[in-house]
């Protein structure tokens, strides 16, 4: 049976955001293989940029050790809205911020910028931090919390 419910009246169309809405930035150079048959960066590449920007930030700030650390962040939710096309060759800026810190989870918000001062795309993803061996959620470490609080 089809759902006959219309779009809720509380729905608001997503809009691009300005650079100053984000706390930290990482430049990423597009690659030849990022373009799809339509001549722009394929939507799946944006999710790779999300991961790259956040994890590189955490590694650089001593909050994540992907080789010998006792915890890792697993993505449990992700979303992206697109506003403008990007294409190879181009360097994009990936802005990040933290929208919510839980006991063992973090909601990151990410903005992708091309040449304009507003997002070409924006989205979010949620990491749940787990023990590397058991894959059970664990509380955020003091170091990780400190680094993430700077992004709020």
């Amino acid at each position: 049976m089809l759902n006959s419910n219309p779009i809720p009246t509380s729905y608001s169309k997503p809009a691009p955001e300005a650079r100053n809405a984000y706390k930290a930035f990482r430049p990423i150079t597009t690659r030849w293989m990022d373009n799809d048959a339509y001549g722009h960066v394929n939507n799946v590449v944006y999710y790779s940029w999300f991961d790259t920007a956040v994890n590189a930030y955490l590694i650089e700030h001593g909050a994540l050790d992907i080789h010998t650390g006792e915890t890792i962040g697993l993505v449990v939710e992700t979303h992206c809205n697109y506003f403008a096309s990007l294409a190879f060759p181009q360097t994009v800026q990936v802005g990040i911020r933290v929208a919510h810190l839980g006991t063992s989870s973090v909601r990151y918000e990410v903005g992708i910028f091309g040449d304009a001062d507003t997002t070409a795309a924006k989205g979010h993803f949620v990491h749940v931090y787990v023990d590397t061996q058991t894959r059970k959620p664990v509380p955020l470490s003091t170091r990780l919390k400190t680094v993430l609080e700077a992004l709020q």
Side-chain angles (χ1 to χ4, degrees):
M1 177 193 254
L2 293 175
N3 183 352
S4 61
N5 294 335
I7 295 176
T9 55
S10 62
Y11 175 79
S12 61
K13 182 179 175 181
E17 292 182 319
R19 287 180 191 271
N20 65 5
Y22 296 88
K23 300 288 187 176
F25 290 86
R26 169 160 300 278
I28 297 179
T29 303
T30 59
R31 304 164 303 168
W32 175 262
M33 65 185 257
D34 294 339
N35 281 10
D36 63 18
Y38 301 116
H40 61 256
V41 172
N42 188 272
N43 60 304
V44 300
V45 174
Y46 290 75
Y47 290 101
S48 173
W49 294 343
F50 287 10
D51 263 342
T52 297
V54 168
N55 287 307
Y57 184 88
L58 296 177
I59 291 166
E60 290 167 358
H61 287 83
L64 177 65
D65 179 345
I66 61 172
H67 299 293
T68 61
E70 295 179 6
T71 62
I72 56 172
L74 299 180
V75 175
V76 298
E77 177 182 315
T78 188
H79 176 87
C80 190
N81 293 107
Y82 305 90
F83 307 108
S85 291
L86 300 169
F88 174 84
Q90 185 173 15
T91 297
V92 299
Q93 293 286 327
V94 182
I96 60 175
R97 66 181 178 228
V98 168
H100 176 76
L101 276 176
T103 302
S104 61
S105 65
V106 180
R107 178 184 162 117
Y108 299 97
E109 294 183 342
V110 184
I112 308 293
F113 295 86
D115 299 327
D117 287 328
T118 57
T119 51
K122 71 176 185 177
H124 73 268
F125 71 96
V126 176
H127 264 163
V128 172
Y129 285 86
V130 300
D131 180 276
T132 56
Q133 300 301 313
T134 67
R135 295 299 202 255
K136 301 282 185 199
V138 294
L140 303 175
S141 71
T142 301
R143 178 68 189 151
L144 181 56
K145 274 196 240 181
T146 300
V147 169
L148 295 173
E149 286 169 350
L151 293 173
Q152 287 185 304

